[in-house]
């Protein structure tokens, strides 16, 4: 977890989900489509704006990335915020990495988040 004075946050969450994790292949377009469709629907139902999604690999590990915007009127600090969430499955665990910042500062700090993510490796 990282939080600086600008309101930029980096959060890591790992959860043991059992054997199912090893069956989830995020490089599969059908599986990725199911995930992103569900996330888009949840976003719209909660009032946040679904900005984009993508698939990729970091150090050989497939992931899904989703970016959402929380409008100022729904944000706890009264300003619009953006959050990029990256989801991995490895072994029996689900890993979620989230980078959150003000909408205006997002591109300024995104390279730091990307640099951190490029160091991720599972052993």
């Amino acid at each position: 977890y990282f939080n600086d004075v600008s309101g930029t946050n980096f959060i890591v969450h790992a959860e043991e989900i059992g054997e199912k994790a090893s069956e989830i292949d995020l490089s599969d377009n059908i599986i990725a489509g199911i995930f992103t469709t569900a996330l888009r629907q949840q976003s719209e139902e909660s009032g946040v704006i679904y900005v984009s999604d993508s698939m990729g690999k970091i150090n050989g590990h497939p992931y899904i990335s989703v970016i959402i915007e929380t409008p100022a009127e729904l944000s706890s600090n009264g300003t619009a915020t953006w959050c990029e969430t990256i989801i991995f499955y490895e072994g029996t665990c689900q890993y979620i990495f989230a980078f959150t910042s003000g909408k205006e500062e997002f591109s300024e700090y995104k390279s730091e988040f990307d640099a951190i993510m490029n160091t991720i490796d599972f052993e």
Side-chain angles (χ1 to χ4, degrees), residues 58-118:
I58 294 178
N59 293 325
H61 302 282
Y63 69 85
I64 291 177
S65 169
V66 174
I67 298 176
I68 60 169
E69 176 183 335
T70 302
E73 60 272 12
L74 297 178
S75 178
S76 61
N77 64 4
T79 62
T81 59
W82 275 32
C83 177
E84 179 176 14
T85 302
I86 294 181
I87 303 166
F88 287 94
Y89 289 90
E90 182 66 27
T92 59
C93 291
Q94 175 187 54
Y95 297 90
I96 299 173
F97 299 84
F99 161 59
T100 306
S101 76
K103 181 179 179 180
E104 302 301 319
E105 295 81 25
F106 189 83
S107 62
E108 178 182 349
Y109 293 103
K110 174 93 167 77
S111 62
E112 290 180 37
F113 177 65
D114 292 342
I116 293 168
M117 292 308 302
N118 286 323

Side-chain angles (χ1 to χ4, degrees), residues 3-57:
N3 186 0
D4 75 8
V5 293
S6 72
T8 300
N9 298 290
F10 178 69
I11 301 165
V12 178
H13 175 78
E15 184 174 346
E16 178 76 33
I17 63 170
E19 293 289 322
K20 290 182 181 180
S22 63
E23 299 169 7
I24 299 172
D25 179 3
L26 295 181
S27 63
D28 181 303
N29 287 331
I30 294 171
I31 292 173
I34 292 168
F35 269 81
T36 55
T37 298
L39 292 170
R40 182 182 300 272
Q41 182 179 1
Q42 290 172 0
S43 297
E44 291 170 355
E45 289 171 359
S46 66
V48 300
I49 300 163
Y50 194 91
V51 177
S52 67
D53 58 62
S54 63
M55 297 167 47
K57 287 188 178 184

